[in-house]
Amino acid sequence: MREIPLTPETSRIARRIIWFERSSAALSDPVRFMAYAMARATHEDMQVLRRYVPLEDLVEALDRAPPGIIDARSWAYSNLIAGRYPAPPLPKRQL
């Protein structure tokens, strides 16, 4: 997955959805960042992020999403946007 650049817009989004980390740290792992974005970003935030995240990267972020971040509703919606219906099962934690 491509890197998401640190810009004033992406920094603002990162500060809001991953409030417990610096923006640069949040954006350093694009798969994890996009998992949080799919669960917590607004429509306007996603419009900004989609300028940097093409459809194939969105699909990769879904395929590699860490378990426990994306809720079922956001998972279904994000997979629909990615052209995958029905959505595959949510990622599960391995114990």
Side-chain angles (χ1 to χ4, degrees), residues 22-95:
R22 292 183 336 269
S23 298
S24 58
L27 289 165
S28 70
D29 184 347
V31 169
R32 180 173 166 266
F33 177 78
M34 285 307 296
Y36 276 102
M38 286 182 258
R40 296 184 175 90
T42 65
H43 177 71
E44 292 77 17
D45 293 340
M46 289 304 285
Q47 286 180 314
V48 170
L49 294 174
R50 288 300 307 276
R51 284 190 253 152
Y52 305 105
V53 181
L55 183 60
E56 60 270 11
D57 285 0
L58 180 65
V59 170
E60 181 181 348
L62 286 164
D63 288 341
R64 296 178 45 209
I69 295 175
I70 307 174
D71 60 276
R73 183 177 182 195
S74 299
W75 179 256
Y77 179 74
S78 296
N79 274 282
L80 181 64
I81 294 301
R84 301 195 308 185
Y85 180 82
L90 274 163
K92 294 195 188 277
R93 290 190 172 120
Q94 301 297 320
L95 300 176

Side-chain angles (χ1 to χ4, degrees), residues 2-17:
R2 293 174 189 88
E3 190 174 308
I4 300 170
L6 181 62
T7 67
E9 288 178 312
T10 59
S11 178
R12 177 187 54 77
I13 295 167
R15 278 194 313 270
R16 197 172 53 70
I17 64 173

